[in-house]
Amino acid sequence: MELQIGRKIKPEQDPAVRLGKITGSNASAFLGLNKYESANEAWDRFWGKVARADLSKNRFVQSGIWSEEMIGKRFAKEMGIKIRFINRTY
């Protein structure tokens, strides 16, 4: 799968790799703290009973992916710190 900007997704972003793994989004939903998704919806999506919506064509998602590194570098410069761009699924 390739994004509009021409970069391939990281293995950790592959839905098949993420299936059955706890992320920040579904953890908050499990606890009832996510205003966009109920605990039951998150549970069904977590176990693959409901397909996740494909947001790869969403212009806001594409803009966020495109600008992520630039924003991170600007943040590091403003804060006077060094950052590493590491995406892992645990």
Side-chain angles (χ1 to χ4, degrees), residues 64-77:
I65 292 168
W66 178 80
S67 61
E68 184 176 6
E69 188 173 346
M70 177 181 58
I71 292 169
K73 287 179 180 180
R74 177 67 185 260
F75 172 78
K77 184 177 179 181

Side-chain angles (χ1 to χ4, degrees), residues 17-88:
V17 172
R18 296 175 66 90
L19 184 64
K21 294 192 169 66
I22 297 175
T23 64
S25 298
N26 59 24
S28 66
F30 293 156
L31 296 172
L33 302 173
N34 188 327
K35 66 180 181 179
Y36 302 105
E37 184 173 45
S38 73
N40 289 335
E41 291 169 335
W43 189 255
D44 288 343
R45 191 173 37 78
F46 182 77
W47 289 110
K49 294 179 182 179
V50 176
R52 180 181 281 272
D54 180 15
L55 299 177
S56 63
K57 303 281 190 244
N58 182 300
R59 66 185 174 127
F60 298 111
V61 171
Q62 291 175 347
S63 296
I65 292 168
W66 178 80
S67 61
E68 184 176 6
E69 188 173 346
M70 177 181 58
I71 292 169
K73 287 179 180 180
R74 177 67 185 260
F75 172 78
K77 184 177 179 181
E78 295 273 330
M79 300 303 291
I81 60 174
K82 290 183 180 182
I83 60 173
R84 290 186 291 169
F85 295 94
I86 299 175
N87 251 340
R88 292 189 184 138

